[in-house]
Amino acid sequence: MTLLRDADLAAAFDHAARSYDTLVAANPGYHAHLRRSARRLGLADGGRGLRVLDLGCGTGASTAALTAVLPHARITAVDASAGMLQRATAKPWPDNVTFVHSPAEHLTRAAGIGEAYDAVFAAYLFRNVAEPDSILTAVHNLLAPHGRLAVHEYTLSGRAFDQAVWTAVCRGLVLPIATALGDGRLYRHLWRSVVDFDTADAFADRVRAAAFDHVRILPLPGWQTGITHTVIGRRAAGSEARDVSR
């Protein structure tokens, strides 16, 4: 199947926004895993005085994880889907959270984005963009020196067993429910986007190539071991920002 990209993907997420939270709630550990990945940023004192970018915030699950782990940070949450953001902004949030409607590809032009961030958190984003290397470069440019990155993503281990488990869960549970809700096209994309995307090791190599150091791959527990990982890194000392504006 052809993967959805750009405006087509945003439109599919717009349509699925109404049932998205219900579907992810059926995933054991979904919210706990996001909080674990947020803690892996390693930011002290609840993020007091720090600016954090939540890239690809969707309906706000990753934003909620960040506010739980970093209650004192200023959090800017960004997503390309207006429908997902509408769901996110309808929820109660503390005053230190701001939402911005923007594709990840156009961060340098988005209102409210411009100062250097101390950390960037990206959950379930990179396999859904056409040019992940370009987005990594943009993230690098947005980070302050030694700023931290945590990518929470379905990145398979490379073992055939883990791909088989992912496919079995999608075909046996997720796709039938999503199809009944009218969102089968999006969730077929989401299944295939994981199979076609980097392994965890390959994605970590991308992060290193984008001038991040201290890059590590950390697994998540439960049925998602070998399927979902946190890849963390830090903007390398002395690395220069590159111009990715369009």
Side-chain angles (χ1 to χ4, degrees), residues 41 120-122 136 139 143 147-151 207 212 231-234:
L41 281 168
V120 173
F121 187 75
L136 282 168
V139 167
L143 281 168
R148 301 179 188 186
L149 168 67
V151 176
V207 175
F212 288 89
V231 178
I232 60 172
R234 187 189 68 174

Side-chain angles (χ1 to χ4, degrees), residues 15-30:
H15 187 269
R18 70 199 188 287
S19 58
Y20 190 81
D21 287 342
T22 301
L23 277 170
V24 300
N27 181 343
Y30 185 91

Side-chain angles (χ1 to χ4, degrees), residues 11-236:
F13 273 116
D14 286 347
H15 187 269
R18 70 199 188 287
S19 58
Y20 190 81
D21 287 342
T22 301
L23 277 170
V24 300
N27 181 343
Y30 185 91
H31 296 287
H33 289 173
L34 285 169
R35 292 191 295 272
R36 183 182 291 242
S37 288
R39 287 193 294 272
R40 287 169 170 174
L41 281 168
L43 302 178
D45 196 21
R48 191 178 305 276
L50 302 180
R51 299 183 75 244
V52 178
L53 181 65
D54 180 16
L55 189 54
C57 66
T59 60
S62 54
T63 318
L66 288 169
T67 58
V69 173
L70 303 169
H72 305 302
R74 287 186 290 158
I75 298 168
T76 302
V78 180
D79 203 88
S81 165
M84 300 289 269
L85 275 180
Q86 184 178 18
R87 291 280 173 172
T89 56
K91 299 172 183 178
W93 299 101
D95 292 340
N96 58 319
V97 176
T98 303
F99 289 91
V100 175
H101 181 210
S102 174
E105 292 84 352
H106 299 150
L107 291 177
T108 55
R109 297 181 180 178
I113 297 176
E115 298 178 50
Y117 288 86
D118 300 286
V120 173
F121 187 75
Y124 307 119
L125 171 78
F126 277 95
R127 74 183 193 283
N128 285 318
V129 298
E131 298 181 5
D133 294 326
S134 177
I135 305 303
L136 282 168
T137 298
V139 167
H140 175 280
N141 292 353
L142 288 166
L143 281 168
H146 305 294
R148 301 179 188 186
L149 168 67
V151 176
H152 176 101
E153 186 59 273
Y154 292 122
T155 47
L156 299 175
S157 69
R159 297 188 307 167
F161 174 78
D162 295 322
Q163 181 171 318
V165 170
W166 170 251
T167 295
V169 169
C170 288
R171 289 182 174 173
L173 179 63
V174 177
L175 282 172
I177 296 172
T179 300
L181 293 170
D183 294 312
R185 184 169 178 245
L186 172 63
Y187 284 87
R188 283 191 295 274
H189 157 87
L190 295 177
W191 160 67
R192 190 71 214 181
S193 69
V194 176
V195 174
D196 289 353
F197 191 54
D198 296 345
T199 63
D201 285 338
F203 184 72
D205 287 341
R206 280 190 196 268
V207 175
R208 293 185 186 97
F212 288 89
D213 62 13
H214 297 273
V215 176
R216 290 192 294 157
I217 305 165
L218 302 173
L220 288 153
W223 75 270
Q224 294 190 62
T225 299
I227 295 172
T228 312
H229 297 85
T230 320
V231 178
I232 60 172
R234 187 189 68 174
R235 177 172 168 168

